[in-house]
Amino acid sequence: MTRILLAVLLVISNIVFSQNTLNLIPYPQNVQLSEGSFIIPEVFKLSNDLPKNETGYFKKRLSSVLKLQDSKQTEAQLVYTQLPKNTTENKEFYSLIINSRQIRIQSYTQQGYFLALQTLIQLFDEYKSAGKIPAMKIEDQPKFAWRGMHLDVCRHFFTVDEVKQYIDYLAMYKLNTFHWHLTDDQGWRIEIKKYPKLTQIGSKRKESMIGAYVDNTFDGKPYGPYFYTQEQIKDVVKYAQERHITVVPEIEMPGHALAALSAYPELACTKGPFESATKWGVFDDVFCPKEETFTFLENVLDEVIQLFPSQYIHIGGDECPKTRWKECTHCQELIKKNNLKDEHGLQSYFIQRIEKYINSKGRKIIGWDEILEGGLAPNAAVMSWTGVNGGIEAAKAKHFAVMTPGAYCYFDHYQGDPQTEPNAFGGFTPLNKVYSYNPIPAELNAEQAKYIMGVQANLWTEYILDFKQVQYMIFPRLMALAEVGWGTSDPENYKNFKNRVINHFKILDRMNINYAKSIYNISGKVIPSNNGIAYELSTSQHSNGIRYTLDGTVPTLHSKVYQEPVSIPNSLMIKSAYFEDGQLKSAVSSQQFTVSKSTGKKITLEQQPSENYSFGGAFTLVDGIIGNVKQLGKTWLGFQGKDVTATIDFGQKTAFSEIYFNTLENKGSWIHLAKSAKIFVSDDNNTFKIIKEIGKEDIQNTKGKIRVNLGTQNARYLKVIIENAGIIPAGNPGADSSAWLFVDEIGVN
């Protein structure tokens, strides 16, 4: 009986230990703890027959933590066995066996050995101070073959050394694909020897946007020339290969081509002249699908293929306005000649020609999900960014896909309260949201799911000025992505992951990495209450460390202690902060509330907002928070190609005479003011009477800040229909695409 009890206790302790004590990221698929431990010696002996490249990396990583020495296998404390290869092997599989005598790694490939070393490095980091590592056996392999991170070096450029650091971060957390975004409207960053003007002209711009996009301000400083020579490219690719990371280059086409056209204007539909873009966004001038363009791109790709051994070449394919093609005689003749339906069919023709050429070189193409327009090229893979539908469509058609939806995987979005974060693109993608993502869409069956190659996060750098901010935007979110890609994430046990992340901060500190500490900051959530609304505060630490004020003053250790959601009976400013051991640990969070008769009332939407801009859902429109026009994070709802039809239930007949709401204009980001608005009232939620119409001119005159008198009204229900601008007209970024409509708060007085 005693033996059984001990065995049960050991199993329970192993489960608890593996789930709550091992601070490994990504967490392994299978951990079995056993009795005993490996005592960390003063000098750690490595077998002298270990794979040299990977072991050299291991030595560099641990040189500041351990004294290391090569020795005979019989005396070594780290040994390696390569398993016999078979047809069902996973090349990234490894086992790590730690007992009281030694540490043994087993794998089919050196890549598996390298991944095992990453786990071992983390274990030494964790247990070096304790002097011993628990005995255990880990058997591990990833769920997804593609676990990627992207880096845009066109909007802002990063040195070879910085790119190598970025690759090291991927290796630390077992990511295996580096997507290098090398060409765009704002800069061409790769040397092409056949076309020297690409870097002589296209690698620089006369100035850059600064601050928020809506400010439309520029620094007046020439940027560049910045590019990578072919020797530097080879160096980076070799560096990545040594870390078992595949570098996938991206050469944008047919859109995002202004930097190339600035160097070779004859490749456009019009004569130009052109210059590398100084603003962010999407531009009408794109590659013209004529023979000299295809000759140019094929020559460029020849050199790219020589530099990058990756199976896939990324050809972009996204955000290609059709304005110039519609006006181009050659393009229209090409559409007729090839019996294409329209300009979308012409895009498919363009992509299929490029794919055929790349296939002839023994490679495959991958592109953003717009390459689905007009029909997908025969062997193309899709990178699904606008949502999950592109990946679903590709997988159902038996095409491979990488899932990278903006709502979960865009690391240029805010990761904390926008008021306490550096300027970012927009959106709100905190750590827990990244961690909650499942790359396999529920709409796919088991057979279709096999076409989902994996997951990737993207870092666009319009608002990222230097490498320190690159670090800030990817950490700690990269850790969440890594565990999602490995297949061991568990959103139900996010607290466990969060604790492991905090434990890993000491590693980042030692490496001098500038990571975001948003995990410590106060998170605020507006919730309905009996009296209207209340503000719920939370932190990753103990909530009794939260202090807050309601008079706009900065919280101190002597301010009110947060115990329950704070009632917001009227308009006020709440400020909050987290204190620990008498010290301020977080940024000070501020939230202004503007309370009206609609605040906290029940609201329904006929059409739901885009997942990227849906924080709080419909309730965001009656939560008492006026949106900041410079921060499209938590306080706005965004609708692409959809009207807003919102119905507010006051609960009883209510007297009111005024309504206010805001819509945005940011044409560079495809955001347009509403076309019109209509206000209705009802007592039964069935029969509505229109009481006000607001025309396009009124909306434009007020720059989207609508506040109108409704006369004396007395009704239970209020319906607001705000009309989307529809299809973006020619001459605007994103022409022919659906406009975005952003709305923040519907207030009633």
Side-chain angles (χ1 to χ4, degrees), residues 100-317:
S100 58
R101 283 189 314 106
Q102 66 177 195
I103 299 171
R104 176 178 294 276
I105 295 172
Q106 297 177 330
S107 69
Y108 295 109
T109 65
Q110 290 185 11
Q111 184 176 6
Y113 172 66
F114 183 76
L115 294 172
L117 292 178
Q118 300 303 326
T119 301
L120 189 56
I121 289 167
Q122 290 188 22
L123 289 171
F124 273 116
D125 264 316
E126 176 66 18
Y127 292 105
K128 179 64 171 69
S129 59
K132 58 184 179 180
I133 301 175
M136 69 184 78
K137 180 178 182 180
I138 294 175
E139 290 188 324
D140 201 16
Q141 63 186 36
K143 179 176 181 178
F144 294 104
W146 186 302
R147 306 181 305 282
M149 276 295 300
H150 153 289
L151 180 64
D152 165 22
V153 296
C154 301
R155 279 49 178 257
H156 287 98
F157 182 79
F158 305 99
T159 67
V160 168
D161 285 344
E162 289 169 339
V163 172
K164 286 180 176 180
Q165 286 182 59
Y166 197 83
I167 289 168
D168 278 334
Y169 303 153
L170 274 60
M172 284 169 57
Y173 291 101
K174 300 189 175 83
L175 300 176
N176 66 359
T177 305
F178 172 47
H179 175 174
W180 205 356
H181 185 80
L182 290 164
T183 74
D184 215 300
D185 293 302
Q186 293 79 13
W188 184 283
R189 305 294 181 214
I190 175 173
E191 178 190 27
I192 301 297
K193 293 187 184 295
K194 193 174 184 69
Y195 300 106
K197 287 192 288 186
L198 285 170
T199 47
Q200 291 169 1
I201 297 172
S203 70
K204 54 190 177 182
R205 57 180 182 259
K206 68 181 181 184
E207 61 182 357
S208 304
M209 282 194 98
I210 54 173
Y213 190 96
V214 293
D215 292 338
N216 199 36
T217 55
F218 298 83
D219 60 10
K221 300 175 183 177
Y223 193 83
Y226 294 130
F227 64 94
Y228 306 100
T229 67
Q230 292 201 359
E231 288 306 308
Q232 289 174 322
I233 295 276
K234 291 174 185 175
D235 181 36
V236 169
V237 170
K238 180 175 181 291
Y239 190 86
Q241 285 176 326
E242 290 170 351
R243 286 147 182 77
H244 296 278
I245 289 172
T246 299
V247 183
V248 175
E250 181 178 0
I251 308 297
E252 274 276 12
M253 62 185 84
H256 289 291
L258 267 180
L261 298 180
S262 71
Y264 296 96
E266 64 271 19
L267 304 177
C269 291
T270 61
K271 293 182 180 180
F274 307 103
E275 62 178 12
S276 295
T278 58
K279 297 183 75 167
W280 319 133
V282 178
F283 302 90
D284 285 340
D285 289 297
V286 302
F287 285 123
C288 186
K290 49 192 175 184
E291 289 308 310
E292 61 188 300
T293 300
F294 288 113
T295 299
F296 166 83
L297 289 171
E298 288 169 4
N299 289 334
V300 167
L301 289 166
D302 282 347
E303 295 191 33
V304 169
I305 287 168
Q306 286 298 312
L307 294 169
F308 296 92
S310 55
Q311 179 185 19
Y312 285 99
I313 304 294
H314 202 299
I315 50 81

Side-chain angles (χ1 to χ4, degrees), residues 550-571:
L550 298 176
D551 59 3
T553 59
V554 174
T556 68
L557 201 56
H558 306 293
S559 300
K560 291 181 180 178
V561 177
Y562 178 77
Q563 294 178 318
E564 60 184 5
V566 181
S567 178
I568 309 294
N570 47 46
S571 298

Side-chain angles (χ1 to χ4, degrees), residues 479-493:
M479 300 181 194
L481 178 83
E483 193 145 305
V484 167
W486 201 257
T488 52
S489 57
D490 178 10
E492 297 298 317
N493 199 13

Side-chain angles (χ1 to χ4, degrees), residues 388-406:
V388 298
N389 289 337
I392 293 169
E393 184 179 339
K396 286 184 175 180
K398 298 185 178 181
H399 283 262
F400 287 104
V402 174
M403 304 304 290
T404 178

